[in-house]
Amino acid sequence: MSRQSRSRFPSPTLITKSEDLAALCTTLRREPYVTIDTEFMRERTYWPELCVVQLGGADCVAVIDTLAPELDLAPLGELLADPAVIKVFHACRQDIEIFLLRFGSIPQPMFDTQVAAMVAGFGDQVGYDTLVSSLTGGHIDKAHRFSDWSRRPLSQAQIDYAAADVTHLRGVYETLRDRLEKEGRLAWVSEEMAVLNDPATYRTDPVTMWERLRPRTNNRRYLGLLRAICAWREVEAQRLNIPRQRLIKDESLLEIAATSPADAESLAQARGVGRGFAEGRSGATLLAAIAEARGLPDADLPAIPRSRESGARPSPALVSLLKVLLAAKSEQHNVAPKLLASSEDLDRLATEAEPDVPALTGWRRDVFGQDALALKNGEICLGVDGKQIKLITTA
Protein backbone atom coordinates (compact mmCIF):
# COMPACT_ATOMS: atom_id res chain seq x y z
CA MET A 1 0.00 0.00 0.00
CA SER A 2 2.02 2.95 -1.29
CA ARG A 3 1.07 6.37 -2.59
CA GLN A 4 -1.00 4.71 -5.31
CA SER A 5 -2.92 2.54 -2.86
CA ARG A 6 -6.44 3.12 -1.75
CA SER A 7 -6.95 6.39 0.08
CA ARG A 8 -9.43 5.02 2.61
CA PHE A 9 -8.63 2.52 5.32
CA PRO A 10 -11.13 0.06 6.81
CA SER A 11 -12.91 1.29 9.93
CA PRO A 12 -11.23 -0.03 13.08
CA THR A 13 -12.93 -2.72 15.15
CA LEU A 14 -12.65 -2.67 18.93
CA ILE A 15 -12.09 -6.18 20.27
CA THR A 16 -13.24 -6.88 23.84
CA LYS A 17 -14.50 -10.48 23.60
CA SER A 18 -12.51 -13.69 23.36
CA GLU A 19 -14.55 -15.13 20.49
CA ASP A 20 -14.03 -11.99 18.40
CA LEU A 21 -10.29 -12.05 19.01
CA ALA A 22 -10.13 -15.73 18.05
CA ALA A 23 -12.00 -15.04 14.79
CA LEU A 24 -9.75 -12.07 13.98
CA CYS A 25 -6.54 -14.03 14.56
CA THR A 26 -7.82 -16.92 12.45
CA THR A 27 -8.37 -14.49 9.57
CA LEU A 28 -4.98 -12.80 9.99
CA ARG A 29 -3.14 -16.11 10.05
CA ARG A 30 -4.11 -16.55 6.40
CA GLU A 31 -2.21 -13.40 5.41
CA PRO A 32 1.50 -13.13 4.51
CA TYR A 33 2.09 -10.39 7.06
CA VAL A 34 0.34 -8.42 9.78
CA THR A 35 1.25 -4.99 11.15
CA ILE A 36 1.37 -4.68 14.94
CA ASP A 37 1.67 -1.94 17.53
CA THR A 38 0.96 -1.62 21.23
CA GLU A 39 -0.08 1.05 23.69
CA PHE A 40 1.11 0.60 27.25
CA MET A 41 1.72 2.46 30.47
CA ARG A 42 5.00 2.43 32.38
CA GLU A 43 5.28 5.78 34.14
CA ARG A 44 4.27 4.38 37.53
CA THR A 45 5.46 0.78 37.26
CA TYR A 46 8.63 -1.19 36.61
CA TRP A 47 6.87 -3.72 34.41
CA PRO A 48 4.98 -2.37 31.38
CA GLU A 49 1.21 -2.57 31.64
CA LEU A 50 -0.19 -3.65 28.27
CA CYS A 51 -3.36 -1.71 27.52
CA VAL A 52 -4.02 -2.02 23.78
CA VAL A 53 -2.73 -4.11 20.87
CA GLN A 54 -3.37 -2.97 17.31
CA LEU A 55 -3.40 -5.42 14.40
CA GLY A 56 -3.58 -4.47 10.74
CA GLY A 57 -4.47 -6.81 7.88
CA ALA A 58 -5.13 -6.30 4.19
CA ASP A 59 -8.84 -5.64 4.73
CA CYS A 60 -9.22 -5.16 8.46
CA VAL A 61 -7.75 -3.26 11.38
CA ALA A 62 -8.50 -4.07 14.99
CA VAL A 63 -7.81 -2.46 18.34
CA ILE A 64 -7.67 -5.07 21.08
CA ASP A 65 -8.62 -3.89 24.55
CA THR A 66 -6.26 -6.08 26.54
CA LEU A 67 -7.77 -4.79 29.81
CA ALA A 68 -11.26 -6.04 28.90
CA PRO A 69 -12.56 -8.37 31.64
CA GLU A 70 -11.93 -12.05 30.98
CA LEU A 71 -10.49 -11.46 27.49
CA ASP A 72 -8.40 -14.51 26.55
CA LEU A 73 -5.29 -13.39 24.68
CA ALA A 74 -4.21 -16.92 23.73
CA PRO A 75 -5.22 -16.52 20.04
CA LEU A 76 -3.00 -13.44 19.84
CA GLY A 77 -0.10 -15.47 21.21
CA GLU A 78 -0.72 -18.13 18.57
CA LEU A 79 -0.74 -15.51 15.81
CA LEU A 80 2.53 -14.02 17.06
CA ALA A 81 4.13 -17.48 17.06
CA ASP A 82 2.87 -18.48 13.59
CA PRO A 83 5.99 -18.85 11.38
CA ALA A 84 3.94 -18.35 8.20
CA VAL A 85 2.98 -14.75 9.07
CA ILE A 86 5.55 -11.94 9.16
CA LYS A 87 5.01 -9.57 12.09
CA VAL A 88 5.77 -6.01 11.07
CA PHE A 89 6.60 -3.42 13.74
CA HIS A 90 8.21 0.00 13.89
CA ALA A 91 10.81 0.42 16.66
CA CYS A 92 9.71 -2.86 18.18
CA ARG A 93 12.01 -3.28 21.18
CA GLN A 94 9.45 -2.32 23.84
CA ASP A 95 6.64 -4.12 22.04
CA ILE A 96 8.69 -7.33 21.96
CA GLU A 97 9.61 -7.00 25.63
CA ILE A 98 5.90 -6.86 26.44
CA PHE A 99 5.04 -9.90 24.32
CA LEU A 100 7.98 -11.85 25.71
CA LEU A 101 6.76 -11.16 29.25
CA ARG A 102 3.17 -12.00 28.36
CA PHE A 103 3.63 -15.07 26.15
CA GLY A 104 7.13 -16.28 27.02
CA SER A 105 8.48 -16.05 23.48
CA ILE A 106 9.43 -13.53 20.81
CA PRO A 107 7.10 -13.12 17.80
CA GLN A 108 8.45 -14.96 14.76
CA PRO A 109 9.31 -13.95 12.10
CA MET A 110 9.67 -10.18 12.54
CA PHE A 111 10.42 -7.13 10.43
CA ASP A 112 11.21 -3.76 12.05
CA THR A 113 10.67 -0.81 9.72
CA GLN A 114 12.91 1.43 11.83
CA VAL A 115 15.83 -0.95 11.22
CA ALA A 116 14.89 -1.22 7.55
CA ALA A 117 14.75 2.57 7.26
CA MET A 118 18.31 2.88 8.59
CA VAL A 119 19.47 0.29 6.06
CA ALA A 120 17.65 2.29 3.37
CA GLY A 121 19.46 5.51 4.28
CA PHE A 122 16.85 7.35 6.33
CA GLY A 123 19.27 8.15 9.14
CA ASP A 124 19.57 7.01 12.76
CA GLN A 125 16.26 6.10 14.42
CA VAL A 126 14.05 7.96 11.96
CA GLY A 127 10.67 8.93 13.39
CA TYR A 128 7.61 6.97 12.36
CA ASP A 129 5.65 10.05 11.29
CA THR A 130 8.56 11.06 9.02
CA LEU A 131 8.57 7.64 7.37
CA VAL A 132 4.81 7.68 6.86
CA SER A 133 4.98 11.11 5.24
CA SER A 134 8.00 10.27 3.06
CA LEU A 135 6.92 6.84 1.88
CA THR A 136 3.11 6.95 1.77
CA GLY A 137 2.17 10.63 1.75
CA GLY A 138 0.10 9.97 4.87
CA HIS A 139 -0.12 11.96 8.08
CA ILE A 140 0.05 10.79 11.69
CA ASP A 141 -2.14 12.68 14.16
CA LYS A 142 -0.06 13.08 17.33
CA ALA A 143 -2.92 14.35 19.50
CA HIS A 144 -3.29 11.14 21.52
CA ARG A 145 0.38 10.13 21.71
CA PHE A 146 0.41 10.72 25.47
CA SER A 147 -3.06 9.42 26.28
CA ASP A 148 -3.71 7.47 29.46
CA TRP A 149 -4.31 4.15 27.75
CA SER A 150 -5.28 2.46 31.01
CA ARG A 151 -8.47 4.49 31.41
CA ARG A 152 -11.74 2.98 30.29
CA PRO A 153 -13.76 3.28 28.20
CA LEU A 154 -11.45 4.07 25.28
CA SER A 155 -12.67 7.06 23.30
CA GLN A 156 -13.34 6.82 19.57
CA ALA A 157 -10.51 9.29 19.02
CA GLN A 158 -8.10 6.97 20.87
CA ILE A 159 -9.29 3.98 18.85
CA ASP A 160 -8.84 5.85 15.56
CA TYR A 161 -5.38 7.07 16.61
CA ALA A 162 -4.25 3.57 17.60
CA ALA A 163 -5.60 2.04 14.39
CA ALA A 164 -3.87 4.60 12.17
CA ASP A 165 -0.44 3.42 13.32
CA VAL A 166 -0.88 -0.07 11.89
CA THR A 167 -2.76 0.96 8.73
CA HIS A 168 -0.03 3.38 7.64
CA LEU A 169 2.59 0.82 8.64
CA ARG A 170 1.47 -1.47 5.82
CA GLY A 171 2.45 1.11 3.22
CA VAL A 172 5.75 1.83 4.97
CA TYR A 173 6.60 -1.87 5.12
CA GLU A 174 5.74 -2.64 1.51
CA THR A 175 7.67 0.35 0.16
CA LEU A 176 10.78 -0.37 2.25
CA ARG A 177 10.66 -4.09 1.53
CA ASP A 178 10.42 -3.53 -2.22
CA ARG A 179 13.21 -0.94 -2.19
CA LEU A 180 15.59 -3.08 -0.15
CA GLU A 181 14.82 -6.20 -2.18
CA LYS A 182 15.65 -4.29 -5.37
CA GLU A 183 18.92 -3.06 -3.81
CA GLY A 184 19.84 -6.50 -2.47
CA ARG A 185 19.78 -5.30 1.14
CA LEU A 186 17.06 -7.42 2.73
CA ALA A 187 19.80 -9.69 4.10
CA TRP A 188 21.25 -6.66 5.89
CA VAL A 189 17.92 -6.18 7.69
CA SER A 190 17.92 -9.86 8.67
CA GLU A 191 21.37 -9.48 10.26
CA GLU A 192 20.21 -6.45 12.23
CA MET A 193 17.11 -8.28 13.43
CA ALA A 194 19.30 -10.91 15.13
CA VAL A 195 19.64 -8.71 18.22
CA LEU A 196 15.90 -8.10 18.40
CA ASN A 197 15.26 -11.83 18.01
CA ASP A 198 17.49 -12.68 21.00
CA PRO A 199 15.56 -13.01 24.31
CA ALA A 200 18.68 -11.84 26.16
CA THR A 201 18.16 -8.38 24.63
CA TYR A 202 15.10 -7.89 26.83
CA ARG A 203 16.41 -9.35 30.06
CA THR A 204 17.90 -6.95 32.56
CA ASP A 205 20.92 -8.32 34.41
CA PRO A 206 21.01 -6.63 37.85
CA VAL A 207 24.72 -7.43 38.19
CA THR A 208 25.64 -5.24 35.21
CA MET A 209 23.32 -2.30 35.92
CA TRP A 210 26.12 -0.29 37.54
CA GLU A 211 27.86 0.04 34.18
CA ARG A 212 25.07 2.33 32.92
CA LEU A 213 26.09 4.97 35.46
CA ARG A 214 29.59 5.20 33.91
CA PRO A 215 31.36 6.00 37.23
CA ARG A 216 34.51 8.08 36.76
CA THR A 217 36.84 6.16 39.00
CA ASN A 218 39.29 3.26 38.92
CA ASN A 219 38.66 2.43 42.60
CA ARG A 220 37.57 -1.19 42.38
CA ARG A 221 36.29 -1.22 45.96
CA TYR A 222 33.96 1.66 45.13
CA LEU A 223 32.90 -0.11 41.95
CA GLY A 224 32.11 -3.24 43.96
CA LEU A 225 29.85 -1.27 46.27
CA LEU A 226 28.17 0.46 43.34
CA ARG A 227 27.59 -2.87 41.61
CA ALA A 228 25.91 -4.30 44.69
CA ILE A 229 23.76 -1.21 45.26
CA CYS A 230 22.61 -1.04 41.64
CA ALA A 231 21.80 -4.76 41.62
CA TRP A 232 19.81 -4.30 44.84
CA ARG A 233 17.82 -1.43 43.30
CA GLU A 234 16.93 -3.45 40.20
CA VAL A 235 15.67 -6.43 42.20
CA GLU A 236 13.80 -4.23 44.69
CA ALA A 237 12.19 -2.14 41.92
CA GLN A 238 11.00 -5.35 40.29
CA ARG A 239 9.61 -6.63 43.59
CA LEU A 240 7.72 -3.41 44.29
CA ASN A 241 6.86 -2.90 40.59
CA ILE A 242 7.91 0.74 40.59
CA PRO A 243 10.36 2.56 38.27
CA ARG A 244 13.94 2.27 39.48
CA GLN A 245 14.40 6.06 39.57
CA ARG A 246 11.29 6.40 41.71
CA LEU A 247 12.70 3.90 44.21
CA ILE A 248 16.03 5.73 44.46
CA LYS A 249 17.79 8.00 41.97
CA ASP A 250 21.14 7.42 40.28
CA GLU A 251 22.88 10.27 42.09
CA SER A 252 21.83 8.79 45.43
CA LEU A 253 23.36 5.44 44.48
CA LEU A 254 26.66 7.10 43.61
CA GLU A 255 26.73 8.90 46.97
CA ILE A 256 25.81 5.76 48.92
CA ALA A 257 28.60 3.82 47.20
CA ALA A 258 31.04 6.57 48.18
CA THR A 259 29.95 6.78 51.85
CA SER A 260 29.20 3.06 52.38
CA PRO A 261 26.73 3.56 55.27
CA ALA A 262 26.68 0.84 57.91
CA ASP A 263 23.36 1.66 59.62
CA ALA A 264 19.99 3.28 59.00
CA GLU A 265 21.08 6.54 60.63
CA SER A 266 23.98 6.92 58.17
CA LEU A 267 21.88 5.80 55.22
CA ALA A 268 19.24 8.42 55.97
CA GLN A 269 21.87 11.14 55.52
CA ALA A 270 22.34 10.31 51.83
CA ARG A 271 20.80 12.62 49.26
CA GLY A 272 17.25 11.59 48.34
CA VAL A 273 17.00 8.96 51.10
CA GLY A 274 14.50 9.65 53.87
CA ARG A 275 14.45 8.19 57.37
CA GLY A 276 11.32 6.20 56.61
CA PHE A 277 13.03 4.48 53.69
CA ALA A 278 16.27 3.90 55.63
CA GLU A 279 14.45 2.31 58.56
CA GLY A 280 12.05 0.23 56.46
CA ARG A 281 12.35 -3.07 54.64
CA SER A 282 13.98 -1.56 51.56
CA GLY A 283 16.58 0.23 53.68
CA ALA A 284 17.36 -2.95 55.59
CA THR A 285 17.94 -5.00 52.45
CA LEU A 286 20.07 -2.21 50.95
CA LEU A 287 22.27 -2.09 54.05
CA ALA A 288 22.65 -5.88 53.89
CA ALA A 289 23.79 -5.61 50.25
CA ILE A 290 26.30 -2.91 51.20
CA ALA A 291 27.67 -5.01 54.07
CA GLU A 292 28.11 -8.02 51.79
CA ALA A 293 29.90 -5.96 49.14
CA ARG A 294 32.15 -4.38 51.75
CA GLY A 295 33.43 -7.85 52.65
CA LEU A 296 34.23 -8.99 49.12
CA PRO A 297 37.85 -10.07 48.47
CA ASP A 298 39.75 -8.07 45.89
CA ALA A 299 39.55 -10.88 43.36
CA ASP A 300 35.75 -10.62 43.28
CA LEU A 301 35.60 -6.88 42.66
CA PRO A 302 34.64 -5.54 39.20
CA ALA A 303 37.36 -5.01 36.63
CA ILE A 304 38.15 -1.47 35.58
CA PRO A 305 36.09 -0.63 32.47
CA ARG A 306 38.01 -1.15 29.24
CA SER A 307 37.86 2.53 28.30
CA ARG A 308 39.88 3.48 31.39
CA GLU A 309 42.47 0.71 31.33
CA SER A 310 46.05 1.89 31.09
CA GLY A 311 47.04 2.45 27.48
CA ALA A 312 43.49 1.92 26.18
CA ARG A 313 42.65 5.56 25.51
CA PRO A 314 42.17 6.08 21.77
CA SER A 315 43.90 8.83 19.85
CA PRO A 316 41.32 11.59 19.29
CA ALA A 317 42.90 12.32 15.91
CA LEU A 318 42.61 8.68 14.79
CA VAL A 319 39.02 8.45 15.99
CA SER A 320 38.23 11.63 14.07
CA LEU A 321 39.79 10.16 10.94
CA LEU A 322 37.69 7.01 11.32
CA LYS A 323 34.60 9.20 11.74
CA VAL A 324 35.36 10.88 8.41
CA LEU A 325 35.65 7.48 6.75
CA LEU A 326 32.40 6.42 8.42
CA ALA A 327 30.59 9.51 7.14
CA ALA A 328 31.96 8.93 3.64
CA LYS A 329 30.91 5.29 3.61
CA SER A 330 27.48 6.19 4.96
CA GLU A 331 27.05 8.71 2.16
CA GLN A 332 28.37 6.36 -0.51
CA HIS A 333 26.12 3.44 0.47
CA ASN A 334 23.15 5.54 1.67
CA VAL A 335 22.99 3.86 5.06
CA ALA A 336 22.79 5.35 8.55
CA PRO A 337 26.25 5.85 10.16
CA LYS A 338 25.03 4.40 13.45
CA LEU A 339 24.17 1.18 11.67
CA LEU A 340 27.70 0.83 10.32
CA ALA A 341 29.66 1.52 13.50
CA SER A 342 29.03 2.79 17.02
CA SER A 343 31.23 5.18 18.98
CA GLU A 344 32.56 2.21 20.94
CA ASP A 345 33.40 0.43 17.68
CA LEU A 346 35.46 3.43 16.56
CA ASP A 347 37.27 3.73 19.90
CA ARG A 348 38.21 0.06 19.85
CA LEU A 349 39.25 0.17 16.21
CA ALA A 350 41.59 3.00 17.18
CA THR A 351 43.15 1.10 20.10
CA GLU A 352 43.08 -2.61 19.16
CA ALA A 353 44.57 -4.46 16.19
CA GLU A 354 41.35 -6.17 15.10
CA PRO A 355 38.75 -5.91 17.88
CA ASP A 356 35.69 -8.11 18.18
CA VAL A 357 33.13 -5.43 17.25
CA PRO A 358 30.05 -5.47 14.98
CA ALA A 359 31.75 -3.12 12.51
CA LEU A 360 34.11 -5.95 11.57
CA THR A 361 31.45 -8.59 10.98
CA GLY A 362 29.02 -9.43 8.17
CA TRP A 363 28.00 -6.79 5.67
CA ARG A 364 29.43 -4.00 7.87
CA ARG A 365 32.95 -5.31 7.35
CA ASP A 366 32.48 -5.22 3.58
CA VAL A 367 31.02 -1.71 3.60
CA PHE A 368 33.17 -0.06 6.30
CA GLY A 369 35.24 -2.31 8.56
CA GLN A 370 37.82 -3.57 6.10
CA ASP A 371 38.64 -0.06 4.91
CA ALA A 372 38.75 1.16 8.50
CA LEU A 373 41.48 -1.38 9.26
CA ALA A 374 43.33 -0.42 6.09
CA LEU A 375 43.14 3.28 6.99
CA LYS A 376 44.43 2.62 10.49
CA ASN A 377 47.28 0.50 9.14
CA GLY A 378 48.35 3.16 6.64
CA GLU A 379 47.38 1.07 3.61
CA ILE A 380 44.96 3.73 2.37
CA CYS A 381 44.48 7.44 2.99
CA LEU A 382 41.62 9.85 2.46
CA GLY A 383 41.52 12.45 -0.25
CA VAL A 384 38.99 14.77 -1.86
CA ASP A 385 37.54 14.34 -5.33
CA GLY A 386 35.38 17.32 -6.10
CA LYS A 387 32.88 17.38 -3.25
CA GLN A 388 33.35 13.78 -2.15
CA ILE A 389 35.82 11.87 0.00
CA LYS A 390 37.79 9.23 -1.89
CA LEU A 391 40.11 6.43 -0.79
CA ILE A 392 43.69 6.43 -2.06
CA THR A 393 45.91 3.34 -1.92
CA THR A 394 49.29 4.17 -0.41
CA ALA A 395 51.18 1.08 -1.59
Side-chain angles (χ1 to χ4, degrees):
M1 191 167 49
S2 61
R3 292 177 187 271
Q4 291 75 35
S5 299
R6 63 191 175 195
S7 59
R8 301 186 64 183
F9 297 124
S11 298
T13 300
L14 179 64
I15 302 291
T16 60
K17 297 181 179 179
S18 298
E19 56 268 29
D20 293 336
L21 177 59
L24 170 70
C25 291
T26 297
T27 298
L28 292 177
R29 290 180 70 178
R30 302 190 189 106
E31 301 199 15
Y33 75 90
V34 59
T35 51
I36 307 176
D37 192 21
T38 67
E39 307 295 344
F40 58 93
M41 302 295 291
R42 203 171 195 168
E43 288 80 0
R44 299 182 295 271
T45 61
Y46 181 93
W47 305 107
E49 179 185 10
L50 180 61
C51 302
V52 169
V53 175
Q54 304 99 284
L55 299 177
D59 298 303
C60 65
V61 57
V63 175
I64 304 168
D65 180 0
T66 59
L67 300 182
E70 300 180 5
L71 177 65
D72 183 3
L73 292 178
L76 174 61
E78 294 168 3
L79 171 64
L80 295 176
D82 190 334
V85 183
I86 298 172
K87 290 79 184 179
V88 179
F89 298 86
H90 180 81
C92 70
R93 188 176 292 253
Q94 293 190 86
D95 301 319
I96 302 311
E97 178 189 2
I98 290 170
F99 289 138
L100 181 59
L101 289 169
R102 178 63 66 102
F103 298 113
S105 61
I106 291 176
Q108 293 294 333
M110 293 194 300
F111 188 99
D112 189 324
T113 56
Q114 185 180 72
V115 172
M118 288 193 286
V119 172
F122 280 88
D124 297 341
Q125 296 184 332
V126 61
Y128 180 59
D129 49 348
T130 300
L131 272 186
V132 169
S133 175
S134 299
L135 298 179
T136 74
H139 171 70
I140 296 294
D141 181 1
K142 302 179 183 180
H144 294 278
R145 179 166 293 182
F146 300 108
S147 283
D148 182 349
W149 293 98
S150 66
R151 295 185 64 180
R152 292 296 180 271
L154 293 168
S155 69
Q156 187 60 49
Q158 285 179 303
I159 294 170
D160 291 340
Y161 167 87
D165 277 350
V166 290
T167 50
H168 287 295
L169 187 55
R170 294 183 66 84
V172 170
Y173 165 66
E174 291 182 5
T175 303
L176 283 173
R177 179 200 61 198
D178 293 347
R179 176 185 298 188
L180 293 172
E181 185 174 29
K182 182 179 179 180
E183 296 174 350
R185 295 190 180 190
L186 280 177
W188 295 14
V189 178
S190 297
E191 284 191 40
E192 296 312 300
M193 293 298 298
V195 173
L196 296 173
N197 280 305
D198 184 356
T201 300
Y202 310 96
R203 296 192 185 115
T204 300
D205 182 1
V207 176
T208 63
M209 289 301 295
W210 68 276
E211 296 172 359
R212 298 187 181 188
L213 273 62
R214 299 184 180 275
R216 299 180 179 180
T217 179
N218 290 346
N219 185 322
R220 294 180 62 216
R221 181 62 55 183
Y222 172 88
L223 296 178
L225 286 163
L226 185 63
R227 179 180 64 184
I229 294 167
C230 289
W232 164 85
R233 181 179 68 172
E234 203 66 20
V235 173
E236 187 71 357
Q238 291 175 2
R239 182 184 73 82
L240 297 173
N241 194 23
I242 61 174
R244 61 177 71 91
Q245 293 288 340
R246 181 169 295 187
L247 175 62
I248 187 167
K249 295 187 179 300
D250 289 347
E251 54 265 31
S252 298
L253 297 187
L254 293 167
E255 180 180 345
I256 292 169
T259 58
S260 184
D263 52 48
E265 182 68 27
S266 301
L267 178 59
Q269 303 305 311
R271 182 188 345 178
V273 178
R275 184 169 296 278
F277 174 94
E279 295 178 348
R281 173 178 173 177
S282 293
T285 56
L286 172 55
L287 287 169
I290 294 170
E292 182 178 355
R294 197 185 294 118
L296 285 176
D298 290 347
D300 293 339
L301 296 175
I304 297 171
R306 179 192 300 272
S307 61
R308 291 199 300 273
E309 290 176 351
S310 176
R313 292 179 178 83
S315 160
L318 179 52
V319 171
S320 295
L321 194 60
L322 290 170
K323 286 181 178 178
V324 173
L325 176 65
L326 177 62
K329 288 292 186 176
S330 171
E331 181 180 284
Q332 176 187 350
H333 294 278
N334 192 30
V335 62
K338 182 179 178 180
L339 206 59
L340 287 176
S342 67
S343 296
E344 182 181 355
D345 287 352
L346 297 183
D347 286 348
R348 294 187 60 186
L349 279 165
T351 56
E352 302 174 42
E354 187 161 344
D356 180 15
V357 294
L360 294 181
T361 62
W363 65 271
R364 288 185 182 87
R365 187 182 185 104
D366 296 334
V367 172
F368 169 74
Q370 196 62 52
D371 284 331
L373 292 175
L375 178 65
K376 182 180 69 170
N377 294 332
E379 298 166 5
I380 61 173
C381 62
L382 301 181
V384 178
D385 183 6
K387 295 182 178 181
Q388 294 184 323
I389 298 294
K390 68 175 182 179
L391 305 185
I392 302 171
T393 303
T394 59

